[in-house]
Amino acid sequence: MVLVSAKEMVAKAHEGHYAIPAFNTNNLEWTKCILAAVEKAKSPVIIQTSESAAKYMGGYKMVVDMVRDLHDAMGITVPVALHLDHGSYEGAKACIEVGYTSVMFDGSHFDFAENVEKSKEIIALAHSVGVSVECEVGGIGGTEDGVTSNGELADPKECAEIAALGVDFLAAGIGNIHGKYPANWAGLNFDRLNEINEAVNGKPLVLHGGSGIPFEQTSKAITMGVSKINVNTELQLVFADATRKYIEAGKDIEGKGYDPRKLLKPGCDAIIAKAVELCEAFGSANKA
Ligand code: 13P
């Protein structure tokens, strides 16, 4: 075995000035492709699921079994953590119970006092069994699991307070958005990131909405304490694009091109190529 907590890999990335890619998985193919990519790139990885993606796949335990079994069957040698993304209080507890090695408790929509209380409880519970914890201050723009936030900038004082609870890494809104960035997006707010980084006393920070941010901006964010970068949409886009091209070229109706193993292969190859590129861009390649 196998799956590890994300604490140590993120702490090492923070010290070494690179970021761990946290790729969201949606199904068996995604999971296989992410694992194949990080093994190729020799990168540590966080594989994460939202609550709804886990439900789609058959539940948290099914996800744990799938990731563990693929990890072993593929002979993966790089460190792999399995993380709950944007977890509720109940979801985080359920994942800790069935074998996730890391959880995010997202209390950013509660009032701050309640966020602190619930974060504290999840941190104590997770740490008692060696599971790492991410908490969130301030919303991330866009829509995630049906919850839309307007992308407020996190308050550095609140970040300092949550960091002091002993959380392992902290998500803080700095103008980042889930999903595709609009053409008029203002970019990451580095002034705010700088203030947050100074306030949290060396706590690693998490950048959500990592899809489509220009690499100059992700690299600069890494120099300012970002050590985990979440990517979901970008792998979905390259998969959909490659699959569309395969079908538009009529390849699904040539021979046995409709066999799912053939139909899904161009999309899977595209996920692997993009994930390797992101490991290189985030500096985590060859750090396993
Ligand atoms: P994207 O879908 O924009 O890459 O965001 C992923 C994310 O932050 C998951 O929490």
Side-chain angles (χ1 to χ4, degrees):
M1 245 286 302
V2 353
L3 306 182
V4 297
S5 142
K7 181 185 169 80
E8 196 186 319
M9 65 168 84
V10 173
K12 262 171 123 174
H14 193 261
E15 251 176 58
H17 304 293
Y18 58 94
I20 303 293
F23 295 118
N24 287 69
T25 187
N26 294 287
N27 59 20
L28 178 80
E29 280 74 18
W30 245 251
T31 311
K32 274 174 81 176
C33 293
I34 293 165
L35 287 170
V38 294
E39 189 65 25
K40 192 169 171 188
K42 295 278 163 260
S43 169
V45 72
I46 295 170
I47 296 184
Q48 57 188 17
T49 70
S50 65
E51 294 193 350
S52 64
K55 192 170 170 200
Y56 167 82
M57 287 183 268
Y60 299 128
K61 172 147 190 322
M62 149 64 204
V63 173
V64 170
D65 291 346
M66 173 179 68
V67 176
R68 280 187 185 159
D69 287 354
L70 279 176
H71 174 283
D72 291 354
M74 293 170 74
I76 299 299
T77 61
V78 300
V80 178
L82 175 60
H83 179 78
L84 174 67
D85 188 27
H86 290 285
S88 62
Y89 180 81
E90 295 74 22
K93 283 185 160 178
C95 285
I96 292 168
E97 229 165 76
V98 297
Y100 276 59
T101 56
S102 186
V103 291
M104 174 182 192
F105 167 63
D106 180 357
S108 62
H109 51 287
F110 291 121
D111 70 49
F112 186 63
E114 193 170 358
N115 188 1
V116 169
E117 275 321 298
K118 290 201 157 80
S119 294
K120 230 192 245 176
E121 276 184 50
I122 296 291
I123 292 167
L125 177 66
H127 284 179
S128 71
V129 289
V131 166
S132 50
V133 184
E134 171 179 349
C135 293
E136 178 167 334
V137 179
I140 311 292
T143 301
E144 182 84 6
D145 264 12
V147 178
T148 301
S149 94
N150 54 11
E152 70 197 82
L153 299 176
D155 175 349
K157 281 203 200 90
E158 293 187 354
C159 291
E161 217 176 301
I162 299 263
L165 300 177
V167 71
D168 298 295
F169 30 95
L170 181 67
I174 52 165
N176 37 334
I177 297 175
H178 286 125
K180 284 189 190 178
Y181 282 89
N184 62 354
W185 179 53
L188 297 176
N189 187 319
F190 289 108
D191 291 341
R192 183 55 62 97
L193 175 55
N194 194 32
E195 285 166 23
I196 293 169
N197 191 30
E198 283 180 359
V200 299
N201 208 10
K203 191 65 69 183
L205 299 171
V206 181
L207 181 62
H208 281 245
S211 295
I213 301 178
F215 291 152
E216 313 87 75
Q217 291 191 38
T218 48
S219 298
K220 186 166 171 188
I222 288 168
T223 67
M224 299 166 89
V226 165
S227 313
K228 169 178 183 274
I229 302 182
N230 290 4
V231 175
N232 186 17
T233 301
E234 200 153 16
L235 299 187
Q236 298 185 349
L237 288 171
V238 295
F239 177 86
D241 188 50
T243 307
R244 181 173 6 86
K245 285 186 178 131
Y246 180 87
I247 292 174
E248 280 178 356
K251 295 201 175 147
D252 58 319
I253 47 175
E254 270 169 26
K256 284 199 173 175
Y258 51 81
D259 178 328
R261 288 167 291 185
K262 292 192 171 137
L263 181 68
L264 301 180
K265 188 169 187 303
C268 287
D269 289 346
I271 291 178
I272 295 172
K274 179 55 76 178
V276 168
E277 182 192 341
L278 291 171
C279 292
E280 284 163 1
F282 299 164
S284 67
N286 298 311
K287 295 292 196 321

